[in-house]
Amino acid sequence: MRPAAFSPDPDYQSKLLELEKKYGRWAVRVAIAGCPHGDIEGIEREAKRLHEVKLHRR
């Protein structure tokens, strides 16, 4: 499975795959859309927040 966003940097791609496994593909894709390109820490924070919100609203 490919990560949600393409980047030639293999480390970036592996981090996105790790985040997808941890928080889900939906949360990572939405986080990528709202964060500056390459900001992996921001993407992780936002994906975690989205994942927690989704869990608490069920």
Side-chain angles (χ1 to χ4, degrees), residues 22-35:
K22 193 171 185 182
Y23 301 117
R25 187 170 190 183
W26 171 82
V28 174
R29 284 184 156 214
V30 172
I32 289 169
C35 292

Side-chain angles (χ1 to χ4, degrees), residues 1-3 13-14 28 35 38 44-45 47 56-57:
M1 176 157 82
R2 288 185 57 174
Q13 290 179 351
S14 66
V28 174
C35 292
E44 183 171 12
R45 273 193 313 271
H56 290 297
R57 289 190 178 175

Side-chain angles (χ1 to χ4, degrees), residues 10-42:
D11 189 43
Y12 182 77
Q13 290 179 351
S14 66
K15 292 212 182 249
L16 289 179
L17 281 174
E18 181 182 317
L19 291 176
E20 283 184 4
K21 290 177 186 174
K22 193 171 185 182
Y23 301 117
R25 187 170 190 183
W26 171 82
V28 174
R29 284 184 156 214
V30 172
I32 289 169
C35 292
H37 181 71
D39 181 13
I40 199 72
E41 291 88 12

